[in-house]
Amino acid sequence: MTLTQISNFVRVAELRNMSHAAAVIRVAQPALSRQMRALEDELGVHLLVRHGWGVTPTPAGEAFLVEARKVLRAVEGARDAATTHAADPTGRVALGMPMSLAAPLIPPLTASLRAKYPALRPHFIDGAGLALQARLLAGELDLAILYEDRNQGPLATAPLLSESLVLVGAADASVDRGLASGALVRALPLILPGRPNRHRLLVEQLAGEGQANVVAEVESHGAIMAMVEAGQGYTVTTYSGVAAEAAARRVAVFALERPGAARTLVLAHQLGRQPSAAIRAVEEELLRIVRERAETFQWRPD
C-alpha cells in the first residue's frame, strides 16, 4: 500500500466517479482502476462498488476512507512540521470561523496572504461553532475562531475580539425603543439557528425568564438575511454579520442595550501542537485585519 494509492482512493471515493477522479489526479483511467483493484487485493476486501454511472464505497470502503483521511492529514502535519523553520511560509492552512464573520474576514485575509505569501494555500471554512470545534479537535482545521466557552476541550485559545449583538429587521422596520432588549426578543418574531447553536443560546439568555419568540429555525446565515429583508421576521446577530446589508440600507439595525448582549470570540488551535510558519503567518495576518477593521465592524479587539 502506497501513499499515492491512499490519496487516489480518497479522491475516487469523494468524487464517486473513476473517470472524474482520473482527470483530477491526471492519470489514465485504466491505470487508476488497476491501482484501486490492487489496493483491494492487498486488503482482501472490496472498497468500491462499480456502477454504470460511477462508484460508491462499500461499508469497508467508508471505514477505510475515514482512516485514509487521517493518514493524509498526518502527512500534511509532518510536512508542516518540517517547514516550521522555513524562511517563507508554505503549505496548506485550514481556518474555520462563524458564518457571520466569513464576509468581513475571508476576502481581505485571502488578498493579504496571496500578496505576502504566494506559496501558502489558505483553506477557509465557515460554519456553526460546535461543528468547527469538533473539526478542530479532529485535526481537520489548523485554527478556528470560536465562541468563548469554558468547556472547549484540549484546545489552546487566545482572545480575538468581542462584538455586541444587534436586532435586525427589514429596511422599513421600526421597534418600540421603550422596550427593554429582553422584551423585544420575547415580542418580535425571530428567525434564528436551531439549538445547540451558541449564538442561539446567547439570544435566549437575552430573553431573560421568558422565551425568545422564534418563528423559524434556519442554519444558513444568508437565508436568514434574505428572510429578514423580505419582512418575514427579525434576527439577532452581530453588526459585522449585517454590515454590508446595513450600508446598502437593505435592513434596519437596532442596538440591544442589555448588559451581556455581546459575544466574545477566541482563536483556537489544538493544545500541544507546534504551529508551522504558515499557521503563524495566517494568525498574524488575521490579528492585523481584525485590528484594522475594528471600527468598521464595531469589533473590540482583545
Side-chain angles (χ1 to χ4, degrees):
M1 185 189 311
T2 67
L3 188 60
T4 298
Q5 284 178 308
I6 295 173
S7 177
N8 289 353
F9 170 79
V10 170
R11 189 55 58 91
V12 170
E14 289 176 342
L15 293 177
R16 305 294 175 107
N17 188 289
M18 198 74 70
S19 61
H20 291 173
V24 171
I25 299 168
R26 296 185 178 180
V27 300
Q29 181 179 337
L32 181 59
S33 296
R34 286 194 297 271
Q35 274 190 24
M36 296 301 98
R37 292 197 182 280
L39 183 60
E40 290 176 319
D41 290 342
E42 180 177 349
L43 295 173
V45 295
H46 290 294
L47 300 176
L48 300 167
V49 178
R50 279 79 172 171
H51 309 288
W53 60 88
V55 298
T56 55
T58 64
E62 292 285 4
F64 185 76
L65 178 61
V66 172
E67 299 304 318
R69 284 172 171 155
K70 291 180 182 178
V71 169
L72 296 180
R73 286 196 297 270
V75 171
E76 191 75 29
R79 185 180 294 113
D80 289 343
T83 59
T84 296
H85 305 289
D88 297 316
T90 184
R92 177 180 179 272
V93 176
L95 168 64
M97 66 186 68
M99 289 178 281
S100 61
L101 290 180
L105 287 179
I106 292 177
L109 185 54
T110 300
S112 176
L113 291 172
R114 288 184 64 185
K116 292 185 177 181
Y117 309 110
L120 193 151
R121 295 180 290 111
H123 180 196
F124 299 115
I125 301 96
D126 67 331
L130 290 176
L132 294 174
Q133 180 179 340
R135 294 184 71 171
L136 183 61
L137 289 169
E140 296 177 13
L141 298 175
D142 299 297
L143 295 166
I145 301 173
L146 304 173
Y147 291 109
E148 185 178 48
D149 192 328
R150 295 178 182 177
N151 301 311
Q152 285 178 322
L155 296 176
T157 63
L160 180 64
L161 61 90
S162 297
E163 51 184 354
S164 297
L165 300 178
V166 294
L167 178 70
V168 186
D172 59 353
S174 62
V175 300
D176 183 354
R177 298 310 297 156
L179 292 176
S181 297
L184 285 173
V185 299
R186 292 193 298 269
L188 295 174
L190 297 180
I191 305 167
L192 296 171
R195 298 188 188 93
N197 182 281
R198 177 63 177 160
H199 181 75
R200 167 71 175 269
L201 299 179
L202 287 176
V203 177
E204 291 181 346
Q205 290 174 12
L206 268 178
E209 296 181 359
Q211 289 188 340
N213 182 22
V214 180
V215 297
E217 294 182 336
V218 181
E219 302 303 322
S220 165
H221 178 72
I224 290 175
M225 293 312 303
M227 294 169 71
V228 169
E229 286 186 43
Q232 296 182 29
Y234 295 76
T235 195
V236 177
T237 185
T238 57
Y239 184 76
S240 62
V242 298
E245 292 88 345
R249 299 185 179 179
R250 288 157 40 197
V251 298
V253 177
F254 308 94
L256 291 172
E257 304 298 340
R258 176 174 172 175
R263 67 178 189 178
T264 300
L265 295 114
V266 298
L267 185 60
H269 62 84
Q270 281 190 342
L271 192 64
R273 179 178 177 182
Q274 178 67 27
S276 66
I279 292 174
R280 291 199 303 270
V282 170
E283 184 173 356
E284 290 170 3
E285 286 304 298
L286 173 63
L287 294 172
R288 183 184 64 79
I289 288 171
V290 166
R291 290 192 296 269
E292 285 184 354
R293 296 182 169 236
E295 183 175 355
T296 300
F297 294 110
Q298 300 183 12
W299 292 329
R300 295 182 297 280
D302 292 321

